[in-house]
Amino acid sequence: MRLAELSERSGVSTATIKYYLREGLLPPGRQVNRTTAEYDEEHLRRLRLVRAMIQVGRLPVATVREVLGHVDDDSLGRTMRLGAALWALPQAPEPDTDDDHVRAARQETDELLAGLGWENARLLTSLSPAYRSLVVSVAALRRLGYEWDAELLASYARLMHRAASLDLDFVETQESEAERVETAVLGAILVEPMLQALHRLAQEEESARRYGFE
């Protein structure tokens, strides 16, 4: 397809597509002559991913470029390729290692992972922003006096493991490795807010069942 058709099918202006091409967010099309290039379904799929990251995820172009670099890095195995792409997304701040609450939260988080038998997650704790984010959250709860029971936290973790299994079941329906990683990135941007919304709706439903509308 030519640039005009790519624009029409994607709903993205030709000027914006040309900007994405200049910034390296889209691979160049197949050059037909000096002034004309052709694009295919992969360009359309990538363009939709870029638009979701920028418009919905509100990511800066530099971050999008970094994420896509990991998506396209076929020198990495699937786990590290997926992890690198997701880790490039905006993350929680680094925990303060001198904070007593952070040290206690880190120990609690390590004990949680060990109790769950999440050995692979434990191997990635030095790299994983998700691990650091969990430590920061647990530390914040401790600092405010909300010390959640360890078994309650483990129950939530088991629910999330089921959600992760569903995520990857869907990712594996994609044909190419790049499409699988792209789908996982889209999941982080689009599905996580959806899950948060479902969680809050479930809270509203359960609250109404328990306490009514009085």
Side-chain angles (χ1 to χ4, degrees), residues 118 155-171 191-192 195:
W118 290 8
S155 295
Y156 275 100
R158 293 185 189 100
L159 287 174
M160 292 302 99
H161 191 269
R162 175 59 181 151
S165 179
L166 291 172
D167 290 341
L168 294 183
D169 286 346
F170 181 71
V171 165
V191 177
E192 286 184 8
L195 293 179

Side-chain angles (χ1 to χ4, degrees), residues 181-195:
V181 181
E182 286 180 5
T183 300
V185 171
L186 273 177
I189 295 170
L190 302 177
V191 177
E192 286 184 8
M194 182 179 70
L195 293 179

Side-chain angles (χ1 to χ4, degrees), residues 104-105 108-109 111-112 134 137-157 159-160 199 203:
E108 185 176 344
T109 301
E111 290 172 356
L112 170 71
L134 180 56
S137 297
V138 172
L141 285 170
R142 283 182 166 276
R143 193 174 293 110
L144 294 170
Y146 294 98
E147 296 191 16
W148 280 32
D149 178 80
E151 185 51 42
L152 178 60
L153 188 57
S155 295
Y156 275 100
L159 287 174
M160 292 302 99
H199 184 202
Q203 288 175 329

Side-chain angles (χ1 to χ4, degrees), residues 102-123:
V102 168
R103 283 196 289 268
R106 191 182 299 277
Q107 180 178 346
E108 185 176 344
T109 301
D110 290 343
E111 290 172 356
L112 170 71
L113 296 180
L116 292 168
W118 290 8
E119 295 301 323
N120 296 311
R122 294 176 69 192
L123 290 173

